[in-house]
Amino acid sequence: MPLGRKFRPSSASGKLQTQNGTSILGELWSTEEPGATIAGQENCVESPVVSKAANLVANSDDRHKSPEWLVRELLKHDNRRHSVTFGDDAQVNTRLRYSSDPALTLCKLKIEQKVSLENLLKIKVAFEEFEMGGLRSLDQMNFGFIVKKCLGLKNTNDAQIQELFVKIDYSNRGRIVWDEFCTYMQLEYEEMEESVARRKQVAFTLPATVVPLCHGEPILRVNSTPDGTIITVREDGTVHYWSHDLTLKKSKSIFMERPVNKKPKWATDFVPMIQYNKLIIGTGDREIQLYELSSLEPYCQISALETVPLQLDYCYTGPDECCILYGDAQGSVNIILISAVGETLRLWKKLPKIENVPNIGIDNAVLSQNVTCIRWKVHQDWVTKVQYIEDIRAIVSTSNHEASALVIGCVLPSTNIEQQMREIKEVSRDGKTKRAPPNLAPQARASCDQTVFSIHKGVKTFDICKKQNLLVTGGMDRLIRMWNPYVPGKPTSILKGHSTPIYYLCISSEDKLIFSVSMDNIAKIWDIQDQCCMFTAHPKSSLIRGDMSACLYSPPMKTMYIAADSIAVLSVRTRSQPQGHLIASHKEPVMCCGYSEEFRQVVSCTKGSVVKVWDFDSGRQIFEFGEAHGSSAITCMAFDLKGRRLVTGGRDGCLKIWNFNNGQCLKILKKEGDCHEVCDCAYLKVHRNTYIMSVGWDRRINIYRDSPEDPHHFQRPQPPWHDDLENGHKEDILCIAQCPPSLLATSSYNGEIIVWNLVSGHIQCRFPNPLPPGYNNGQGLDTSVSSIIFLKSRAFHVEFSCAGCLVSSGTRGSINFWNVLNGGKIIANLEASRFQHQITKLAVTKDDTLIYAADQVGYIYVYNIKKFALGAEHLPPKTENYWRAHTRNVTCLQIVDNDQVVLTSSTDCTVRLWSAYGEFIGTFGQSMNWSIHTPASWNHPAVPYEILIDPLSMPVHPILDGKPWKSNAISPEQMEMTTVEPKSDSHSKLRFPPLSISDKDIEEEIKTMCYPEEHGKRLRHEIFKHAIKPPNHGGPKAFHTLKYFDMDDAPTTCERPDLSLAGIDPFIASSVELECAESK
C-alpha cells in the first residue's frame, strides 16, 4: 500500500478500470538494443536497467562511509509506515546486494507495501501481455521491469526486486507466474492481519467470580478508591467496602431510622471525595450529605436543594478547590464550586444538626464568598449521566431527549463585556464592590458555551478519552457510536452487536479498548483501532443473573465489576506482557530458531506454534504467522539447501514445509496412523536427490523425498531401513546430524548413539553414553544425548583417521569425542559446564577450530579443539571464553561464520545475537535497532537485565563457594601459639580475656589491622571482589572474645521509683544545686 494513501480500499469493485495505455511488452521491446530478444530466450542482451544497477553496485565501494553517530541516529529515527507491517525489509542474500554504507539501507521500504489495487491490476495486465507474447512465466529481469513500470519505481534498487522475486520463487525454478505472485501478496497480508489480531488477544476470565448479596434494595453505583477498595451503596443507605477480589471489608447503614409514620430516606447516587476523605451521597430529600470515608460518620449536609440530585459527580479542580455537580429530573445541570474547601467544611460541621447531621441550606451556603452555585438548563428530559472532564475542563451531561442527547458545556458562562463594564462603573461610583444576590433559577447556556450532539433515542451512558480524542455513546437504540468530541455532526463509526440497551461504557486508553455492558448482562470488548468486537461474555458463561443496577471497569486492576442480584467481577485476560525492563522476542518459550543466509533473516518458532521472521542486520521483526501446527508446539525446524523454504516439526507428529516469507504451507509430511512428537529434522542431499529426515518419539528414522514439483499436498514417508526396524533405537530419538556424503548420526534418550550409512541404510557403529566415575549404572542420572555434531574436516581425512570426528553431549555437563571410522570408540571427554548442567546444544566453526557449547542454565562455553582429541594422547583444550546468554535452557546455538556472530534462543522467550567473542549485540524485538557492521549500535558492554539479576550470574568467589580465604585462614600452629604463649601486655592474646574491654583496646585493634596486598587486573568487578575481603587479623582479637549474658525479660508494667527520696533525681538535684548557688 503506498504511503500517500490514507486508507486501504475495502473491495476491488470499481477499482478494476484503468485508462488505455501503451503495452508493457511493447515498452520492453522498445528499450532493448537491436538484435535483443525477450529475457529468458537465448542470446539475451542485458537491459539498461540491469547494467545501471551493476554499475551502481560496482561503484558502491567508492562512497564514503557514514559516521557512526549518523548510523545510530538513523537507527533511532527510522521512518514509520502507514500500513500494516512488522518491520523493515529483509536484507538481500549476498554481499554484492548491499551498499558498503549501512546507513543507506535503513530507510528502504518493502515493495509489497507499495502495491495498491490499481497497481495490482497493471501488473496483471503485464503478465497477460507477456503470456500473449509466448511467455507464460517471467524471469527476474522481466519481472523487475514490469514492477518498476507499474509501480513507478524508477530509482528502486534491483536488489529489492530480486529479493521479492526470490521470495516468490521458493522452488528455485528461476521463473514465476501470475498466480504465484498474487498468492504471495494475498497470504502475506492475511498473515499480517492475523498476527495483529494475535497481539491484541483479550478476553474475560470466565466464569465470573460471583458474590451473592442479601435481599434488599438495588446497588446504586460501584466506585473505587486509589488503594483498590471497591465501594457500593444501596438505595436504603447501606454502604459496603470490598477488596479488589470482592472480600467484604466493612458494611454500615448510614441513614438514621425514622419513625414509622415518616417515609424512610433513600439514596440516589454517591461519589467519593478522595482528597478530603469524604463520601458524598445524594438523597431523595433534596440533600447532599458528606460522610467520613473511613468511619462513615456523618460530617455535614447541604439541604433545601431546588431539585432531587439524581446523578452526582465530583472533581478536585485546584489547590483547596473542588466542584460538586449533579443532574436532576428537570434536565438541569447544577454546579457547586467551593474554594477553601477545608475551612468551609469545618465551618459547616459546627452548624446545628438535623437528624444528627450538621445542616446548611443551599440559600445560606451560597452567601459565603467561598461558595458559588450555578444552574444550567441543558436538557428537556431528566439527566441520565453527568461528569466533569478535567482534561478539557468541561461538563458532559446526557439525557434521553434526542435533540439534546449529549451536551459538552463550560462550567462558567463566557464573559459579558457590557455587564462587566456596568460593574466597573458601579465600583468607581460607589467605591466598593457589590456582590450580586445569588440566582438559583436555571439559565440557558449561550450557543458558544456548549456543543450539542443530537442522537437517536438519546444517550444512557458515555465515556470520553482525551488521549484517543474519542467520545463513545450508548443508549436505547443498542448502538455504540464513536465520535470526534469536536465534530458533533456525524459519528466516525458505529459498533453493532448488543441486542438490548447499552448500560455502561468505558474507554481503556492504555489498552486501546472499549468495554461495554448491556441490560441483558452481556459484556463486550471492542478494539478502538480495528473497530471490531474482540470478546463477548454471555450470562450463560459468566453466570451473572438478575437485573443490572450498576457497573464499573477499573483500569489499574483490569477488572469489570457488575452489580445485579449478586455482585460479580470479570477479570480481563490479555497476552502476557514482559516487564518494562525486560525484552522478549516472543510471548511463549522459543523452541528453535535458525538463520537463512539466502535472505539474511532469522526464523524463530515457539511453543505456542508461532513463527516469526526477523531481519538479521537490524533485529527488527519482518513477518509473523501463527497456528503453524494448530495448538501443538513447534519442536524443531530446518531450512532447505537453498534457504528459501522452511520445514517445521511439531508435537502433532507431522512435518510442514513453508514459504516463511508469507506463511504459505506448501506441503504436509505425515505418517499413517498414530503420530508421535517430532524431536529433530534435517534436509539431506544424497547424490542428486534431496530428502527430509525426521526423528522423534516413534523411535524411527522417517525419510521423505523432497520434490517441489509434486502436486500432492500430503506426502507419506518412504519405507524405513531394514536395520532401523530390526536393530534401531529402543528409546525416543532426540537429535540427528549429517556428515556429507554418506554419514548420519542419531542419538536417543537412553544415551545410545548410532552412526548410519546414508547410501545403504546400514548401521556403521553404535556406542552408549559413558557414565561418569563413581556410577555403576545410570539410575538417577540423565544419560540422554540432546545434541550431536560432526567435525567434517576430520571425518574423511586420512590424517585424522584416529581422531574424534563426532561430538556429543554427555552426562553432567560433559562433551564426548568419538571416532566413528574404526568401529566407534570414545577418544576424549571434556567437562564443559562449570555447573555440571546438561549440555543442550553444540556448534562448531566452519574450520572446526572452536566448539561452542550451551547448557541448561543459559551459559555458553567456547573451547579451542584444534589440537584436541586427535589420538590417544591429548592435552586439555584451551578455554577461549564463556558467558551467560540466557537464564533458561538454550534451544538453539548457531554460528554465522561470515559475520562472526552467534545466534541463540531459549525457553526464556528470547532470541539473541552475540559477537563471536561474547559481546551482546541485542535481543530480537527490542525497540532500538542495531547494525551488524557497526559495533557502536550494539548493546555491549551492557548485558540483558534478567541475566544481570540472576543468582547464577554472580562471579565466582571463594566465600560464595564455601571455601576459606587463604589469606584469612588461621593455621593450627598459629592457634596453638595464641593459646599456649599468652602475652601479658595485650588482652587480645589472652586465653581467658577479661570481662571488660575498654574502648581504647578496641581502637588499638582497629589501628593495627592490616589488609593483604592483592595484585591483578584493575577491572571493576575485580576491585569490588577484593573490596569485600575480610581483613587479615592474624588471629582472634579482643572483641572476638567478648562474653555475653542473657537478659531476663522485664515485667510489662512496673511502678516508677521515687528517686527524690534517695536524692538522686537529676531534675530535683539540679534545682537544689541551683538554689544553693543562688543563696550563696
Side-chain angles (χ1 to χ4, degrees):
M1 178 177 175
L3 293 179
R5 300 185 61 84
K6 295 184 179 180
F7 60 90
R8 182 179 287 106
S10 58
S11 65
S13 60
K15 298 291 183 179
L16 300 180
Q17 296 180 2
T18 58
Q19 299 179 355
N20 294 329
T22 59
S23 171
I24 298 290
L25 194 57
E27 293 183 12
L28 178 61
W29 283 335
S30 63
T31 57
E32 294 180 343
E33 298 180 0
T37 58
I38 299 176
Q41 300 180 3
E42 295 181 358
N43 301 325
C44 176
V45 178
E46 186 180 26
S47 67
V49 178
V50 176
S51 60
K52 181 179 180 181
N55 294 333
L56 177 64
V57 175
N59 297 330
S60 62
D61 295 336
D62 298 334
R63 297 178 181 177
H64 297 288
K65 291 186 177 181
S66 299
E68 293 185 353
W69 65 266
L70 176 59
V71 177
R72 288 196 299 267
E73 290 301 319
L74 288 174
L75 288 167
K76 291 180 181 178
H77 305 288
D78 198 4
N79 293 336
R80 297 194 179 190
R81 294 174 179 79
H82 301 274
S83 60
V84 180
T85 182
F86 284 93
D88 203 355
D89 59 324
Q91 307 295 336
V92 287
N93 58 350
T94 60
R95 295 286 180 183
L96 294 178
R97 300 181 193 176
Y98 295 93
S99 167
S100 61
D101 184 2
L104 298 178
T105 63
L106 297 176
C107 298
K108 294 190 303 178
L109 295 178
K110 297 177 67 174
I111 297 178
E112 300 94 306
Q113 299 169 359
K114 305 176 183 179
V115 179
S116 63
L117 288 178
E118 294 89 346
N119 298 333
L120 194 63
L121 179 61
K122 293 179 182 179
I123 297 175
K124 181 181 179 181
V125 172
F127 269 93
E128 291 175 350
E129 290 182 359
F130 272 96
E131 186 175 354
M132 293 173 61
L135 288 178
R136 296 181 58 87
S137 59
L138 301 183
D139 62 357
Q140 180 180 330
M141 191 187 74
N142 290 329
F143 175 75
F145 177 80
I146 66 172
V147 167
K148 286 185 177 182
K149 182 64 179 177
C150 296
L151 301 184
L153 306 177
K154 298 180 180 180
N155 299 325
T156 302
N157 191 347
D158 285 349
Q160 299 183 46
I161 300 177
Q162 181 181 356
E163 179 186 356
L164 177 60
F165 182 86
V166 171
K167 290 180 180 179
I168 301 173
D169 183 27
Y170 58 84
S171 59
N172 197 26
R173 293 187 296 111
R175 312 184 70 84
I176 62 174
V177 297
W178 162 251
D179 290 341
E180 293 176 341
F181 175 79
C182 193
T183 300
Y184 176 85
M185 297 295 298
Q186 179 184 1
L187 290 177
E188 183 179 18
Y189 276 100
E190 284 183 0
E191 291 297 339
M192 284 182 177
E193 292 178 0
E194 291 183 6
S195 61
V196 171
R198 239 185 337 267
R199 287 188 172 188
K200 296 180 179 180
Q201 281 185 0
V202 62
F204 288 117
T205 302
L206 299 176
T209 303
V210 179
V211 176
L213 300 174
C214 58
H215 293 286
E217 299 296 331
I219 293 176
L220 294 172
R221 194 171 182 178
V222 182
N223 256 314
S224 63
T225 59
D227 63 350
T229 301
I230 305 300
I231 305 175
T232 60
V233 176
R234 289 187 166 186
E235 285 188 3
D236 58 1
T238 304
V239 182
H240 293 85
Y241 286 0
W242 311 82
S243 63
H244 66 91
D245 57 351
L246 293 186
T247 301
L248 185 61
K249 299 168 64 175
K250 187 177 183 180
S251 177
K252 184 178 181 180
S253 180
I254 58 176
F255 291 157
M256 180 181 292
E257 294 186 4
R258 290 181 171 180
V260 180
N261 57 353
K262 194 172 182 181
K263 190 176 181 179
K265 183 176 292 189
W266 52 281
T268 58
D269 198 6
F270 84 97
V271 62
M273 195 176 185
I274 301 298
Q275 288 77 12
Y276 300 96
N277 195 35
K278 300 294 185 294
L279 186 69
I280 305 175
I281 295 181
T283 69
D285 294 342
R286 296 186 300 167
E287 299 168 340
I288 294 179
Q289 297 185 337
L290 277 69
Y291 291 83
E292 292 285 356
L293 191 60
S294 55
S295 62
L296 294 178
E297 293 296 328
Y299 194 84
C300 64
Q301 70 178 11
I302 304 174
S303 61
L305 302 176
E306 296 294 329
T307 54
V308 175
L310 298 180
Q311 298 291 327
L312 279 173
D313 194 30
Y314 158 83
C315 184
Y316 183 75
T317 57
D320 208 18
E321 295 179 356
C322 73
C323 172
I324 300 175
L325 60 150
Y326 63 92
D328 55 29
Q330 297 179 2
S332 299
V333 175
N334 305 266
I335 308 167
I336 302 176
L337 301 175
I338 306 176
S339 59
V341 181
E343 180 183 355
T344 302
L345 294 183
R346 284 191 294 270
L347 291 175
W348 289 354
K349 186 178 181 182
K350 298 177 181 178
L351 297 176
K353 297 182 179 180
I354 297 179
E355 293 185 350
N356 200 32
V357 181
N359 178 75
I360 184 173
I362 187 63
D363 296 336
N364 296 326
V366 296
L367 296 177
S368 172
Q369 297 286 344
N370 299 329
V371 180
T372 303
C373 183
I374 305 169
R375 296 190 66 195
W376 295 115
K377 179 64 177 177
V378 181
H379 307 280
Q380 301 302 319
D381 199 352
W382 64 15
V383 179
T384 56
K385 185 175 181 180
V386 63
Q387 185 177 354
Y388 180 86
I389 308 300
E390 188 176 6
D391 293 335
I392 60 177
R393 294 189 175 275
I395 295 175
V396 183
S397 58
T398 60
S399 72
N400 291 326
H401 185 245
E402 293 186 7
S404 59
L406 185 142
V407 178
I408 303 176
C410 60
V411 178
L412 297 173
S414 300
T415 303
N416 190 330
I417 302 299
E418 295 181 357
Q419 182 179 356
Q420 189 174 10
M421 293 298 297
R422 194 181 304 113
E423 291 177 356
I424 293 174
K425 290 180 181 180
E426 291 178 357
V427 171
S428 61
R429 183 179 65 251
D430 300 339
K432 60 180 180 179
T433 303
K434 292 184 179 180
R435 178 178 174 84
N439 183 14
L440 300 182
Q443 303 174 6
R445 279 198 188 103
S447 59
C448 61
D449 291 341
Q450 64 181 11
T451 303
V452 181
F453 293 76
S454 299
I455 302 173
H456 179 61
K457 292 189 177 182
V459 174
K460 171 70 176 176
T461 181
F462 73 91
D463 197 13
I464 190 170
C465 178
K466 179 67 174 178
K467 182 178 180 180
Q468 300 290 337
N469 194 31
L470 177 64
L471 169 68
V472 292
T473 60
M476 300 297 294
D477 61 351
R478 309 181 300 278
L479 300 178
I480 300 175
R481 292 176 172 85
M482 303 173 65
W483 305 78
N484 184 330
Y486 304 99
V487 183
K490 186 178 180 180
T492 58
S493 179
I494 297 178
L495 306 179
K496 300 179 181 180
H498 285 285
S499 56
T500 56
I502 311 298
Y503 184 85
Y504 179 79
L505 287 172
C506 181
I507 300 175
S508 176
S509 60
E510 294 183 358
D511 301 324
K512 298 180 181 180
L513 299 173
I514 299 174
F515 295 87
S516 64
V517 184
S518 56
M519 296 296 294
D520 55 357
N521 297 334
I522 292 180
K524 288 180 177 288
I525 305 176
W526 309 80
D527 183 75
I528 293 178
Q529 292 181 340
D530 296 340
Q531 299 175 3
C532 63
C533 182
M534 306 292 292
F535 188 80
T536 301
H538 292 274
K540 290 184 179 180
S541 55
S542 63
L543 303 181
I544 300 175
R545 304 286 187 267
D547 297 331
M548 181 179 299
S549 60
C551 192
L552 171 72
Y553 176 74
S554 175
M557 293 178 286
K558 297 185 182 298
T559 305
M560 175 82 74
Y561 298 92
I562 299 177
D565 291 350
S566 56
I567 184 168
V569 54
L570 286 169
S571 299
V572 178
R573 183 179 70 253
T574 59
R575 294 181 69 88
S576 58
Q577 299 290 337
Q579 301 180 18
H581 50 266
L582 301 181
I583 301 173
S585 307
H586 287 268
K587 307 298 181 184
E588 307 90 6
V590 182
M591 306 301 292
C592 53
C593 76
Y595 168 69
S596 171
E597 187 176 358
E598 178 74 11
F599 299 108
R600 290 186 68 83
Q601 293 174 348
V602 172
V603 179
S604 56
C605 308
T606 70
K607 189 176 181 180
S609 198
V610 175
V611 179
K612 286 187 178 182
V613 183
W614 310 89
D615 182 17
F616 175 77
D617 291 273
S618 65
R620 182 181 295 175
Q621 183 177 340
I622 299 175
F623 191 67
E624 171 187 354
F625 60 95
E627 298 183 355
H629 287 258
S631 59
S632 301
I634 300 175
T635 54
C636 59
M637 58 163 282
F639 292 102
D640 66 354
L641 301 181
K642 291 291 183 179
R644 299 188 182 186
R645 291 177 297 158
L646 173 73
V647 58
T648 59
R651 290 180 179 170
D652 56 356
C654 68
L655 297 171
K656 293 186 178 182
I657 304 177
W658 306 87
N659 182 350
F660 57 89
N661 286 291
N662 67 341
Q664 180 184 4
C665 183
L666 306 175
K667 198 168 288 188
I668 297 178
L669 315 178
K670 191 175 182 181
K671 292 177 60 178
E672 295 182 358
D674 296 336
C675 296
H676 302 276
E677 177 178 330
V678 178
C679 295
D680 199 4
C681 60
Y683 264 95
L684 308 178
K685 187 173 183 180
V686 181
H687 302 305
R688 295 184 179 180
N689 299 322
T690 306
Y691 299 92
I692 301 173
M693 290 191 176
S694 66
V695 294
W697 288 9
D698 59 355
R699 305 174 184 179
R700 293 290 176 264
I701 301 175
N702 300 309
I703 306 173
Y704 301 88
R705 177 77 176 270
D706 180 31
S707 53
E709 297 80 10
D710 187 359
H712 297 90
H713 188 66
F714 286 87
Q715 185 176 339
R716 303 299 179 187
Q718 295 184 353
W721 293 333
H722 180 74
D723 267 9
D724 188 18
L725 293 175
E726 298 295 333
N727 305 313
H729 288 280
K730 307 303 179 184
E731 274 291 346
D732 303 338
I733 305 177
L734 301 182
C735 59
I736 186 173
Q738 184 216 11
C739 181
S742 60
L743 289 183
L744 179 75
T746 56
S747 62
S748 61
Y749 182 75
N750 61 358
E752 185 180 34
I753 300 174
I754 300 179
V755 180
W756 308 79
N757 188 310
L758 273 175
V759 179
S760 62
H762 294 302
I763 296 177
Q764 181 164 328
C765 59
R766 64 195 308 163
F767 29 82
N769 199 0
L771 299 178
Y775 284 86
N776 297 326
N777 51 43
Q779 293 183 359
L781 184 66
D782 185 7
T783 59
S784 62
V785 179
S786 55
S787 182
I788 53 177
I789 190 171
F790 278 100
L791 302 179
K792 298 177 183 179
S793 62
R794 301 183 184 183
F796 297 98
H797 203 284
V798 179
E799 297 180 2
F800 301 105
S801 59
C802 298
C805 60
L806 177 65
V807 186
S808 68
S809 61
T811 58
R812 303 185 65 181
S814 62
I815 299 175
N816 298 320
F817 290 76
W818 306 88
N819 178 273
V820 299
L821 300 179
N822 298 324
K825 62 180 180 178
I826 188 169
I827 300 298
N829 177 271
L830 172 63
E831 297 293 334
S833 176
R834 57 181 290 205
F835 295 106
Q836 296 186 348
H837 286 285
Q838 184 81 6
I839 297 296
T840 58
K841 290 296 176 181
L842 295 170
V844 293
T845 54
K846 185 178 294 186
D847 57 358
D848 294 336
T849 301
L850 300 177
I851 185 170
Y852 289 71
D855 62 11
Q856 289 179 334
V857 293
Y859 273 96
I860 295 177
Y861 306 91
V862 186
Y863 296 95
N864 191 325
I865 58 171
K866 184 177 182 179
K867 299 181 180 180
F868 183 69
L870 298 179
E873 298 180 358
H874 52 266
L875 298 176
K878 178 184 177 182
T879 304
E880 297 290 342
N881 195 6
Y882 75 91
W883 71 92
R884 196 171 191 195
H886 299 275
T887 57
R888 296 184 184 176
N889 184 20
V890 176
T891 56
C892 172
L893 179 63
Q894 184 174 353
I895 303 171
V896 183
D897 291 279
N898 294 336
D899 297 279
Q900 290 294 300
V901 296
V902 179
L903 174 68
T904 63
S905 67
S906 170
T907 54
D908 61 2
C909 306
T910 60
V911 182
R912 294 193 172 111
L913 203 61
W914 311 81
S915 72
Y917 307 102
E919 298 167 325
F920 181 42
I921 298 177
T923 301
F924 287 92
Q926 67 183 30
S927 57
M928 290 291 298
N929 298 328
W930 65 71
S931 176
I932 288 293
H933 308 291
T934 308
S937 65
W938 299 356
N939 287 333
H940 179 77
V943 295
Y945 179 78
E946 58 269 30
I947 295 178
L948 185 64
I949 64 175
D950 194 86
L952 286 179
S953 303
M954 297 182 66
V956 179
H957 197 283
I959 293 181
L960 299 178
D961 294 340
K963 301 176 182 179
W965 260 129
K966 183 177 180 180
S967 59
N968 246 5
I970 302 173
S971 62
E973 292 79 10
Q974 292 177 340
M975 183 61 68
E976 184 178 357
M977 291 175 62
T978 58
T979 57
V980 176
E981 300 179 0
K983 294 183 179 180
S984 58
D985 57 345
S986 176
H987 294 302
S988 61
K989 300 290 182 167
L990 293 179
R991 184 173 183 181
F992 299 101
L995 295 179
S996 61
I997 299 177
S998 64
D999 295 340
K1000 184 178 180 180
D1001 295 334
I1002 299 177
E1003 184 178 0
E1004 290 178 359
E1005 293 286 349
I1006 295 175
K1007 289 181 179 180
T1008 56
M1009 287 180 182
C1010 58
Y1011 294 86
E1013 296 182 359
E1014 298 289 345
H1015 302 279
K1017 297 180 180 179
R1018 301 299 294 175
L1019 298 176
R1020 181 165 55 182
H1021 66 275
E1022 289 289 341
I1023 296 173
F1024 289 153
K1025 183 169 72 174
H1026 295 301
I1028 62 173
K1029 277 188 170 184
N1032 182 11
H1033 301 294
K1037 305 301 179 182
F1039 49 90
H1040 289 168
T1041 55
L1042 289 174
K1043 291 188 176 182
Y1044 66 93
F1045 302 91
D1046 295 332
M1047 297 181 62
D1048 294 334
D1049 294 333
T1052 56
T1053 59
C1054 61
E1055 295 183 0
R1056 181 179 178 182
D1058 189 3
L1059 300 178
S1060 61
L1061 299 178
I1064 59 175
D1065 191 330
F1067 297 99
I1068 298 179
S1070 60
S1071 61
V1072 171
E1073 293 176 357
L1074 184 60
E1075 290 177 359
C1076 295
E1078 291 177 354
S1079 61
K1080 291 181 180 179

